[in-house]
């Protein structure tokens, strides 16, 4: 009897620990795909996060990367999957390797600088352009912007005087002044190679290219309060994150310090910084190998909020599982919310087609979607969802604050005539007031249950 009670207590304690972990784990921020090389861009009150994409199946145990994805957020905790916005095939002269890039807005268009390998061999940086931050993007030049060994990982910034700069490179660092058209550069200045000295970019014990400077690759260039910053992976493999500063966009750099140590446990042998200021707060983006099955070639993007020191220096930032604790805004559930708007999820995937756009798929029994900071107001009476299903074996539990939290209602998903035949179905729910996290928990038999496009509450 005593042993039984101990087992019961242990089970309850374990359940509570698991619930706590589910409630407060927010990193990695994308769980439906392996993502890497984060490149955030704020535009008109929305953060657009561009990422490279590690495929689920690697080829020859190496980076298997064919396209670039985009996610968006207005609150820094819920991220909407905008799908694949272009692939290396957008550049007809490319043969693959869709690695780290960055997108920027100017003169009504979005310019995306991307490294690929050319069909005839060698590294190159291309530029794609779109009228929308979520694409479609097209090749702006029909040829590379630059070609050269180590020409990867471009970072772009437009200074307050209107002059644009592009930095890039591994294991060296180059820059150019971009012309106002953003698809050509100042030929008089040409391509400038940085003098990588220890005092500029830190020290490493192992020489590379007959130097000891710690800079490795993946630069991220920005300006804050008249000071220019360069964040970068450093020290060789495995990489940590470091930074340098300067008084001008092309002035000599001065080494700052390490800002993130080599990530252990969930680490990958690479890293890549990204930075954005949103609604007055600073956020560091990076990648690790925190998803199930993750590793050096299957990475995942994470975020940590941080504060600059009073002198403008960057503190040492610790990678965490909780990530961003405070939402920058609340979700209005009485407007259509895309099913692929997710703070955290388990088990499922996303897909896209021309007719529907992005939707949630590969939903199995026990999978769930968490959406944070949902403002129920004075309470809702109904839950609506657009679903596509070949069977009637699945359902959606609507819960608050936890995967096992208060049950508001259950939507039995009825067959619609196929998993791409979309119909809106609804159910009554118990009223709850105020701001809560909402959990959509999927139940049913074996295999894929249904596809899920959007949801909303009604009063």
């Amino acid at each position: 009897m005593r042993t039984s009670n101990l087992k019961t207590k242990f089970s309850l304690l374990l359940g509570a620990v698991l619930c706590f972990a589910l409630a407060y784990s927010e990193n990695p921020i994308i769980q439906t795909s392996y993502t890497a090389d984060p490149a955030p861009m704020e535009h008109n009150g929305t953060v657009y996060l561009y990422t490279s994409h590690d495929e689920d199946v690697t080829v020859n145990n190496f980076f298997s990367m064919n396209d670039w994805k985009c996610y968006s957020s207005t609150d820094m905790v819920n991220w909407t999957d905008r799908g694949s916005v272009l692939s290396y095939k957008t550049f007809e002269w490319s043969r693959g390797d869709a690695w780290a890039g960055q997108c920027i807005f100017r003169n009504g268009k979005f310019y995306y600088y991307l490294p690929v390998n050319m069909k005839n061999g060698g590294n190159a940086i291309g530029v794609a352009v779109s009228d929308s931050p979520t694409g479609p993007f097209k090749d702006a030049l029909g040829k590379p912007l630059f070609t050269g060994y180590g020409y990867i990982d471009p970072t772009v910034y437009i200074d307050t005087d209107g002059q644009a700069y592009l930095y890039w490179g591994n294991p060296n660092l180059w820059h150019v002044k971009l012309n106002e058209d953003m698809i050509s550069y100042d030929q008089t200045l040409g391509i400038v190679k940085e003098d990588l000295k220890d005092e500029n970019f830190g020290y490493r014990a192992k020489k590379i290219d007959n130097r000891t400077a710690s800079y490795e690759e993946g630069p991220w260039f920005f300006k804050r309060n008249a000071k220019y910053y360069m964040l970068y992976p450093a020290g060789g493999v495995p990489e940590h994150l470091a930074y340098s500063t300067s008084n001008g966009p092309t002035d000599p750099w001065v080494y700052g310090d390490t800002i993130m140590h080599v990530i252990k446990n969930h680490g990958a042998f690479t890293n890549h910084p990204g930075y954005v200021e949103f609604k007055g707060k600073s956020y560091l983006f990076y990648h690790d190998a925190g998803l199930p099955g993750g590793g050096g070639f299957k990475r995942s993007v994470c975020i940590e909020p941080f504060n600059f020191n009073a002198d403008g220096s960057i503190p040492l930032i610790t990678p965490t599982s909780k990530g961003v604790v405070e939402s920058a805004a609340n979700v209005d559930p009485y407007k259509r919310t895309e099913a692929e708007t997710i703070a955290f999820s388990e088990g499922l995937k996303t897909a896209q087609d021309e007719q529907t756009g992005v939707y949630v798929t590969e939903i199995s029994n026990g999978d769930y979607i968490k959406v944070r900071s949902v403002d129920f107001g004075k309470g809702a009476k109904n839950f609506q969802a657009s679903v596509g299903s070949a069977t009637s074996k699945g359902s959606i539990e609507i819960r608050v604050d936890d995967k096992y939290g208060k049950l508001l209602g259950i939507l039995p998903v009825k067959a619609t005539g196929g998993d791409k035949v979309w119909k809106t179905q609804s159910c009554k729910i118990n009223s709850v007031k105020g701001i809560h996290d909402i959990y959509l928990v999927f139940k049913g038999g074996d295999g894929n249950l249904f596809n899920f496009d959007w949801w909303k509450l009604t009063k």
Side-chain angles (χ1 to χ4, degrees), residues 194 242 244 256 355 360:
E194 296 295 318
S244 300
Q355 182 178 0
V360 172

Side-chain angles (χ1 to χ4, degrees), residues 206-256:
K206 185 178 179 180
K207 286 187 178 182
I208 183 169
D209 287 354
N210 204 32
R211 65 171 172 83
T212 57
S214 188
Y215 171 87
E216 185 72 22
E217 60 178 346
W220 186 270
F221 180 43
F222 67 97
K223 180 182 181 182
R224 179 181 180 271
N225 293 344
K227 182 177 288 189
Y228 296 83
Y229 293 79
M230 188 73 71
L231 314 183
Y232 48 89
V237 174
E239 295 172 342
H240 65 275
L241 297 182
Y243 81 104
S244 300
T245 61
S246 73
N247 294 321
T250 60
D251 286 356
W253 294 95
V254 177
Y255 178 66

Side-chain angles (χ1 to χ4, degrees), residues 405-422:
K406 180 180 179 181
L407 179 65
L408 301 187
I410 299 175
L411 173 64
V413 175
K414 299 175 183 178
T416 63
D419 59 8
K420 293 288 188 71
V421 179
W422 300 99

Side-chain angles (χ1 to χ4, degrees), residues 58-331:
T58 57
V59 178
N60 297 325
N61 193 34
F62 193 63
F63 296 107
S64 302
M65 305 165 70
N66 300 314
D67 60 350
W68 293 272
K69 296 178 72 68
C70 179
Y71 303 84
S72 66
S73 179
T74 56
D75 55 30
M76 299 303 291
V77 295
N78 300 298
W79 293 90
T80 302
D81 189 339
R82 299 306 192 100
S84 173
V85 292
L86 79 163
S87 76
Y88 75 86
K89 295 180 180 178
T90 301
F91 302 110
E92 292 185 358
W93 42 268
S94 168
R95 64 171 172 81
D97 298 326
W99 293 353
Q102 186 178 350
C103 187
I104 198 167
F105 175 76
R106 185 167 205 173
N107 296 334
K109 294 186 180 296
F110 298 85
Y111 296 89
Y112 201 173
Y113 299 88
L114 299 161
V116 288
N117 283 322
M118 296 181 290
K119 287 182 177 178
N120 61 355
N123 304 135
I125 292 174
V127 54
V129 63
S130 175
D131 294 325
S132 165
T134 57
F137 284 87
K138 64 180 181 180
D139 188 351
L141 290 171
K143 62 181 181 179
L145 180 61
F146 312 110
T147 62
Y149 174 75
Y151 278 30
I152 65 171
D153 300 352
T155 179
V156 61
Y157 174 72
I158 302 173
D159 207 348
T160 48
D161 64 0
Q163 178 62 59
Y165 299 86
L166 192 77
Y167 278 84
W168 72 93
N170 172 345
N172 294 296
L173 180 62
W174 295 270
H175 78 260
V176 294
K177 285 185 175 182
L178 290 171
N179 294 326
E180 190 172 353
D181 64 9
M182 301 299 283
I183 57 174
S184 63
Y185 63 96
D186 184 341
Q187 297 285 342
T188 303
L189 178 67
I191 297 174
V192 179
K193 184 179 179 180
E194 296 295 318
D195 189 7
L196 297 181
K197 295 180 179 179
D198 298 354
E199 60 265 31
N200 306 122
F201 293 97
Y203 172 80
R204 74 166 105 196
K206 185 178 179 180
K207 286 187 178 182
I208 183 169
D209 287 354
N210 204 32
R211 65 171 172 83
T212 57
S214 188
Y215 171 87
E216 185 72 22
E217 60 178 346
W220 186 270
F221 180 43
F222 67 97
K223 180 182 181 182
R224 179 181 180 271
N225 293 344
K227 182 177 288 189
Y228 296 83
Y229 293 79
M230 188 73 71
L231 314 183
Y232 48 89
V237 174
E239 295 172 342
H240 65 275
L241 297 182
Y243 81 104
S244 300
T245 61
S246 73
N247 294 321
T250 60
D251 286 356
W253 294 95
V254 177
Y255 178 66
D257 207 341
T258 295
I259 58 175
M260 181 175 284
H261 288 308
V262 172
I263 302 173
K264 298 180 180 180
N265 300 323
H266 288 171
F269 59 86
T270 64
N271 206 336
H272 190 290
Y275 167 80
V276 72
E277 182 177 310
F278 185 64
K279 296 186 177 180
K281 296 187 177 181
S282 297
Y283 299 89
L284 176 73
F285 290 71
Y286 61 101
H287 67 229
D288 70 1
L291 285 186
F297 306 119
K298 295 181 180 179
R299 300 157 294 175
S300 298
V301 170
C302 303
I303 309 177
E304 302 298 340
F306 74 98
N307 294 313
F308 285 84
N309 295 321
D311 63 357
S313 61
I314 301 176
L316 183 65
I317 300 168
T318 302
T320 69
S321 61
K322 64 183 181 180
V324 180
V325 175
E326 184 179 348
S327 175
N330 297 321
V331 173

